[in-house]
Amino acid sequence: MRRTRFTWLRYVVLTAAALVFAFPFYFMLVGAFQENPTNTPDSLVPTSGWTTGNFTNIDSRIDLVGSLLNSLVFTAGVLLGTVVFGLLAGYAIARLDFRGRGATWVLMLLVQMVPFQLLMIPLYVQITRGYGLGDTYLGMILPFAINTTAVFIFSQFFRALPKEMFEAARIDGAGELRLLVSIAVPLVRPALVTVVLVTFIGPWNEFLWPFLITKDATMQPLAVSLANYISNVAQSTANPNGAILAGATTLAFPVVILFCLFQRYFTASDLGAAVKG
Amino acid sequence: MASVPATELRDPGRLRASRRRWLGTQPIGSLFSLPYLVFVLVIFAYPLGFAVYIAFHDYFFTAPGVEVAKPFVGLDNFVTVLTDERVLESFRNTGVFLLINVPLTVVLSMVLATALDSGVRWASAYRIAFYVPYLTASVSLVGVWMLLFSSGGLINSVLGPLAPSPSWLISSSLAMPTIALYVTWKQLGFYILLYLAALQNVPRELHESAMTDGANGWQRFRAVTVPGVRSATTLVLILAIITGANLFTEPYLLTNGGGPDGASSTPVLLIYQQGIQQQNPDTAAAIGMLLVIVVGLLSLTANRLTKES
């Protein structure tokens, strides 16, 4: 009897919390398609006033499609660097015996402990003034080019593969690169999906770094141009709320949809390795 | 190679053995990890040294190609920063943030993870709901919260006469607590996930024997669950402290640049304002170093406090 009462309480707590978590998303999505997003509780479920005008409104001020493309290029660059160089490094650390293997492992642990706020000023000086990469995709991508968490995840997965398989392939005369590409990588495909998802949200959601190095509005990813809209343009607009919610929806929903599709790859054990400092 | 003794040249087996000792059995591994090592040197090691250099020198931006002496000034930048009332205020604001955010985070994520653990129906739907704010861009969600918590926003119209005046984000006493509430909400899903992983390692038998001893749900939670996930609690505390010390997007957008009048400014916001807007990278780097030291000390304390006695 005590058990059933406890179970009942459990569902009340969970459902209440889930509503608190989900409500702002509901508000965002509905408001994005409303002529006048509500501020009162009695019109939370609107039946009329639907419009796509908010998207055209914000698009006339910040070039929604251009910003989305910038976000995509930024994210794709980080993904490419992380997958190519992360696979190589992760494989080397997990399966190859070479000088400097231990040192590389220690470096990876140290990198996780360096806080970005300490690097922000020197990186800004180095990349915009030293390399002249302000307002370029390369400058945006460089600080995130190889995600250390991804290298960790890859090396853990490679380590779990049976040793005999590698020995047999080496006896057959396969080179290490060939071994990696045609034997090891196909076996760690789940790790690849996890890494792509974990890495994707970093640059897609990142605000501070691209905000620092892009002054040219045509180079700004969506997170930056939406923030500019919120902090500068909105004040001089008659009815900015719908447009803000339309921009927020455009930025948020690609990630939400990706996550819902692939949510079984987001398990606690993968994310245990994904803890970032 | 010139120094290899003649005997070894005549004995290829020994040569290979000594090369193996020096470079390892698969020296190609160095080549594979080289891009990552170069990345770490360029993006982490060099800027880290550079940050320390800037903080101890009278560093300023010059036109490209112009060489001007940037003299060593010892602790001057640190003195400037520590006597700047705005900097001290930003650290106090971070303190207020942590006092609200950290306890809320630990308690709520532990309770929700426990409620979600072991055979709840619709578990994956609950997990998605909890986890989605963590995955979503802060810029998006800040936009939504800004509207919800504005003077004429939904929250105030629900509260009616109870609505605070001045409203949440423009009140100097409520701005920082509102940010703390927002960040708790946004990050909680990640911490719930960490606790869920930790709960898998709490032995079922402990719960069963506590039940045979007649312990109720609350007693079992206190005597079995809380001590069982102690190492996860340490991790959650440290990550929450680091996140709290890193605030930038929230005060920049939600309270319009740390307003009202600096009541929600944070150290990272000041690093941006002083280092890039006002072109004083030296004091900005000093704030960064102080922040890292404070975070390190707080994390050590959190670690000490949650250690088993």
Side-chain angles (χ1 to χ4, degrees), chain A residues 94-95 155-163:
Chain A
R95 303 254 52 138
S155 71
Q156 301 296 25
F157 272 81
F158 283 134
R159 203 160 278 166
L161 297 177
K163 198 175 159 200

Side-chain angles (χ1 to χ4, degrees), chain B residues 35-80:
Chain B
Y36 179 70
L37 289 175
V38 171
F39 170 75
V40 170
L41 282 181
V42 173
I43 297 299
F44 289 91
Y46 175 74
L48 196 61
F50 194 22
V52 177
Y53 174 88
I54 293 176
F56 285 100
H57 287 75
D58 182 13
Y59 195 94
F60 46 88
F61 296 133
T62 50
V66 181
E67 281 302 320
V68 184
K70 289 159 181 160
F72 177 76
V73 292
L75 292 172
D76 277 10
N77 290 324
F78 293 90
V79 173
T80 311

Side-chain angles (χ1 to χ4, degrees), chain A residues 62-136:
Chain A
I62 64 168
D63 185 14
L64 219 47
V65 177
S67 305
L68 263 179
L69 281 178
N70 289 338
S71 285
L72 263 181
V73 173
F74 178 26
T75 308
V78 172
L79 280 177
L80 190 72
T82 296
V83 169
V84 173
F85 299 124
L87 274 173
L88 283 171
Y91 179 73
I93 292 162
R95 303 254 52 138
L96 299 177
D97 169 41
F98 63 97
R99 197 167 184 77
R101 179 191 193 179
T104 313
W105 182 253
V106 173
L107 262 181
M108 277 170 61
L109 294 175
L110 289 177
V111 163
Q112 306 272 71
M113 292 196 290
V114 180
F116 186 74
Q117 71 269 37
L118 184 60
L119 302 180
M120 181 170 126
I121 294 292
L123 268 179
Y124 173 78
V125 176
Q126 191 185 347
I127 287 184
T128 57
R129 290 167 181 266
Y131 308 153
L133 290 176
D135 281 322
T136 64

Side-chain angles (χ1 to χ4, degrees), chain A residues 11 15 39 97 99 117 205, chain B residues 22 25-26 121 135 157 246:
Chain A
Y11 280 100
T15 309
N39 278 322
D97 169 41
R99 197 167 184 77
Q117 71 269 37
N205 294 345
Chain B
W22 274 103
T25 356
Q26 287 115 0
R121 240 196 274 183
L135 296 170
S157 72
N246 261 318

